[in-house]
Amino acid sequence: MDRIFKRILTVMLVFFASIPLFARDVIIIVRDADLSLPLEGAVIRTREGAEYICDIDGSAVMQVADGRQTIINASYPGYETGSLSIPLTGNLFTVDLHLLGILHGNELVIEASIPGTSDTRPGRSIAVTSREISQTGEIGLIEDVMSTIKLLPGVNYSGLFNAQPSIRGGYPGDMVASLDGYVVNNPYFWAGGFSIFDPRMVQSAQLSHGVFSSRYGHSISGLLEVTSRKPSSTDTMFEFGVNTSAANFNVSLPFEKGGILLMGRITYYDPVIALAKNLSGVFPDLSVVNYINKAPYIRTGTVTGNYRFSENLDFSATAFWGMDGVGVSYNNSNDTPELKSDTSLAMSYTNYQGFVTASFSWNPRTDMLYKIIFGIGYESTDINGGMTNNIHKKTVSPWLAGLNNSGTYNFNNHAAINQSEFSLNAQARVDLDWELSQRFLFSAGIQEMYNRNNSSGYQQVIDYYLFKELSVAEQNNIKNSIPALQYQQNLGDFIVGKQINYSPDAENYSFTTSAYALTEFNYDNRILAELGLRMDHFYLSGNGFSMGSTPALNPRLNVEYNVLRNLGIIQLMNVSFGTGLFSSFNDNVYLAEKEYGIDEIKPNRSWTSVLGLRFEFQNDLSLNIEGYYKYIYDRMYVTLTNADNALGYDINPQFDGIGRIWGLDVMLHKVQSRFWDGWLSYSFNWAKYQDPGGTDSGRGISGGSYGDSWYFPSFHRFHNLNLVFNYRPVQNINLYMRFGIASGIPLAKRTEDGPKSYPVIIYDEGKVIEQYRWSSVFDESSRTTLSLPLDLKFSYFGTNRNGKARWEVYVAVENLLAFFYTAQGNTRFNQFTGEVETGSDSANYEIPIPIPSFGFKLSY
């Protein structure tokens, strides 16, 4: 709750000038997707601003660069805009447009330069089509683009209500996200449960998880770049949708040379919470919903607009505002022969965020492109609440009666938080692409980010230490208040509960300065290479301190070689290799205060290498294989040790963490077709970290709590397999299935048959109480059991006679196998009575019941 989410800027790929390196003519045919009829007068636009009008056959001839990314958009009145990236080979391509209203959306590209048949470049990119994103992302209680991202190879399974997966063994917080080139500090709702990226507001997205270009920085794990939907410049459009827990609307208004699009989403979770409360009697694991007095909510609004001043100057802008929150209130009394307890809990969480960003694209001449992106945004979070647990122990173990004045005792356990966090950021970058010759492209850019962060309030909790970890003064205070302890053997191993009061008062600001230069080379479409150098510098200043990092130099190299084409069933075979250095600024450094004694800051660093192999076969089938190795160094973590002060902690930031990660990703992909499509992916990942300055106390941030031993992080899984399958028996019906197998995450190995009682010294009350503990040890072979997610979805499409109004209805069920199986973890128990909670052994990232959902959408 105490951290401030910070994310560093990545922007959309700057496209090259309109004069290609090795140019070829291609024919683009634009058709009605359902009737396969040509659309005369359809407009094809490149991202450089060139336009082509389709003839009576729905076709247009355009010139594209061999071996380079050329993305086009095709539009026609009354139809959704379609997107296509021209493959490396071929001269005839088709764009099928859907009438407005079908939930196909626009193309979603996941760190891909070429969606469709040639969309995945080994070592860099994966792509999914518009039909795939509509089926995998528009499902569940909250429709989310991250539902699609989490199904891709290299992305770790994280459960239904977690939009922060690990990317190829990296920490979940390492992934950076942006919307229309603007870095979103906290791209999540409900503390990471879902992302802010509603599939109905998204036009495209890219996930970089390999050795990505020097254009991008500030990440050692993954980049997610999202582009919002753009307005039509010719038609007025309206779209309305409802699903299980939210309502959406989109209104597009055209004007000369541009347009404006308004989008919004609002949740209505109260019926869902009411249903869950009724089911909690049948499913005890759902009893937590009985605590909720204010249903979780999300409110968002997005406005996008664009304007073309001239053929060589474009302007676009996006404004986003969102809020999310929840309220919890709980009171309960429990009376047994051993213990009477009264528990009360109240908490509220509210988060606001918003930003405005704009960009200009300018072609001063045909072989040169400038792009400028700038924006400003804020985030404000308030968390208030507390919990009190009053306990009266009626009977105690004989060994405890001699330590207190009486055998029974009363104990008050109290925790509270009242904290506010505010951040303001501004960012800008300038990029240049210049074609030096037919084979060489030169690119360069600069980037600046400013962040101001404020954190204030207090937190109050009871933390536990060994008696021997306390200061001498604290030990003497305990002996004086409980005289019987002076004669107790092994007193140093007694547990001490100590009230911790943390009052953050951080007001920091930072500057992040970056620059890059690179060159790209193309030799007859056989060899594609990119060599670049990026520099990142970080500066942090606060009350009474300021410091800067040493500039991080990040050279990167990517080479892709076309081995063969058109040999039997193999249409294309490419081999790629990439290697490079990366750097990022850890979020936790923004919490720094003078008393922490930080004398230097370092960015997290990694050296990543990827070897890839890609096959493209007949019938739109492709196979991609990638192996990778990643060495992480200078990683920041924080250790928390006991201190004899009001805070109760010595906070020790460290910048010497290391990690070793290697793995394999395989993806067999069938591009969308008339009857069926989908993919089968498998990922193996081995990831271990070490914190040389870590402690064994179990207290740390981003690590630091495993001593100096190598360890698998808490989110690590060895194996992830996903099967995504769509079947269309007729044009207006789609059946979707997703099945996954994920190995378990690390789990403490219990060494006893059940909980055992032990004494706990309550430092602030001067008494000894009895608690229960189930002894466990860290064992690398101990893990939760397999996770087996199974999702099913049925979609039905329809239209009126003139085709202007379209609609779709879907019904779906996620986690269907939960009726029969749920991943198992350790059984929970009452820490004050030792009573084991029957049936409480499901893993904490799993939902113990299937989740039904539905959706309806109408467009005109």
Side-chain angles (χ1 to χ4, degrees), residues 120-257:
T120 301
R121 297 177 64 184
R124 297 194 192 187
S125 59
I126 308 171
V128 293
T129 64
S130 60
R131 186 170 292 171
E132 291 163 343
I133 182 58
S134 70
Q135 293 302 326
T136 57
E138 294 176 4
I139 186 174
L141 295 180
I142 298 294
E143 297 177 349
D144 190 355
V145 169
M146 286 304 298
S147 297
T148 299
I149 303 299
K150 293 192 292 185
L151 299 180
L152 299 176
V155 182
N156 203 46
Y157 175 73
S158 58
L160 288 179
F161 293 100
N162 185 353
Q164 295 179 282
S166 165
I167 308 297
R168 285 187 168 174
Y171 266 75
D174 286 344
M175 189 182 76
V176 175
S178 67
L179 179 65
D180 291 340
Y182 182 89
V183 175
V184 185
N185 287 344
N186 176 24
Y188 304 104
F189 290 129
W190 299 341
F194 298 94
S195 81
I196 67 172
F197 304 123
D198 180 0
R200 305 185 192 216
M201 64 170 277
V202 170
Q203 175 176 292
S204 65
Q206 298 184 37
L207 175 68
S208 302
H209 63 341
V211 180
F212 47 84
S213 170
S214 299
R215 300 172 185 268
Y216 310 104
H218 310 303
S219 175
I220 62 171
S221 179
L223 295 172
L224 177 63
E225 299 171 275
V226 178
T227 302
S228 62
R229 291 179 61 176
K230 297 300 184 285
S232 171
S233 60
T234 57
D235 298 295
T236 299
M237 304 176 186
F238 174 76
E239 179 179 287
F240 174 74
V242 295
N243 54 54
T244 309
S245 60
N248 307 70
F249 77 90
N250 293 352
V251 178
S252 179
L253 304 173
F255 50 82
E256 186 179 0
K257 296 185 178 181

Side-chain angles (χ1 to χ4, degrees), residues 537-541 546-551 599-602:
H537 177 263
F538 309 96
Y539 175 83
L540 177 70
S541 180
S546 61
M547 64 194 74
S549 69
T550 301
D599 56 6
E600 67 170 346
I601 56 173
K602 293 181 180 180

Side-chain angles (χ1 to χ4, degrees), residues 495-516:
I495 303 296
V496 179
K498 181 183 176 184
Q499 190 80 52
I500 301 299
N501 299 298
Y502 173 40
S503 299
D505 185 20
E507 182 176 356
N508 301 325
Y509 67 88
S510 67
F511 289 94
T512 305
T513 305
S514 304
Y516 74 89

Side-chain angles (χ1 to χ4, degrees), residues 449-632:
M449 294 186 63
Y450 166 80
N451 287 276
R452 194 189 77 189
N453 303 274
N454 298 81
S455 180
S456 61
Y458 70 87
Q459 296 180 29
Q460 187 180 72
V461 296
I462 289 183
D463 203 356
Y464 294 90
Y465 306 85
L466 290 175
F467 183 88
K468 60 187 176 184
E469 293 178 334
L470 302 180
S471 66
V472 174
E474 289 174 318
Q475 292 179 5
N476 290 333
N477 287 338
I478 291 175
K479 292 178 181 179
N480 293 333
S481 60
I482 312 175
L485 291 177
Q486 299 186 31
Y487 309 101
Q488 185 69 36
Q489 295 182 351
N490 301 321
L491 181 59
D493 294 327
F494 271 43
I495 303 296
V496 179
K498 181 183 176 184
Q499 190 80 52
I500 301 299
N501 299 298
Y502 173 40
S503 299
D505 185 20
E507 182 176 356
N508 301 325
Y509 67 88
S510 67
F511 289 94
T512 305
T513 305
S514 304
Y516 74 89
L518 63 88
T519 183
E520 296 184 36
F521 172 75
N522 182 334
Y523 181 76
D524 293 338
N525 273 349
R526 285 290 183 181
I527 301 176
L528 305 175
E530 178 184 308
L531 177 64
L533 175 65
R534 182 181 183 89
M535 184 280 295
D536 296 316
H537 177 263
F538 309 96
Y539 175 83
L540 177 70
S541 180
N543 292 327
F545 71 94
S546 61
M547 64 194 74
S549 69
T550 301
L553 299 180
N554 298 313
R556 298 172 199 170
L557 171 68
N558 273 292
V559 179
E560 189 171 349
Y561 177 63
N562 175 232
V563 179
L564 56 87
R565 296 179 183 174
N566 302 319
L567 179 63
I569 64 171
I570 301 177
Q571 294 184 332
L572 187 72
M573 176 182 172
N574 281 0
V575 177
S576 68
F577 171 75
T579 187
L581 296 178
F582 301 82
S583 60
S584 67
F585 202 39
N586 194 293
D587 296 350
N588 297 303
V589 78
Y590 290 110
L591 304 177
E593 298 181 41
K594 182 179 180 180
E595 54 265 34
Y596 297 170
I598 304 176
D599 56 6
E600 67 170 346
I601 56 173
K602 293 181 180 180
N604 297 334
R605 302 297 304 276
S606 74
W607 170 49
T608 301
S609 297
V610 181
L611 181 64
L613 181 64
R614 177 172 175 81
F615 295 92
E616 292 184 7
F617 305 100
Q618 296 175 356
N619 301 317
D620 296 326
L621 192 67
S622 64
L623 174 65
N624 196 62
I625 304 171
E626 294 182 15
Y628 59 89
Y629 175 79
K630 184 187 301 184
Y631 176 71
I632 296 174

Side-chain angles (χ1 to χ4, degrees), residues 97 192 228 242 290 303 482 574 614 679 689 765 803:
L97 301 186
S228 62
V242 295
N290 293 308
V303 180
I482 312 175
N574 281 0
R614 177 172 175 81
W679 68 82
Y689 290 82
E765 296 189 21

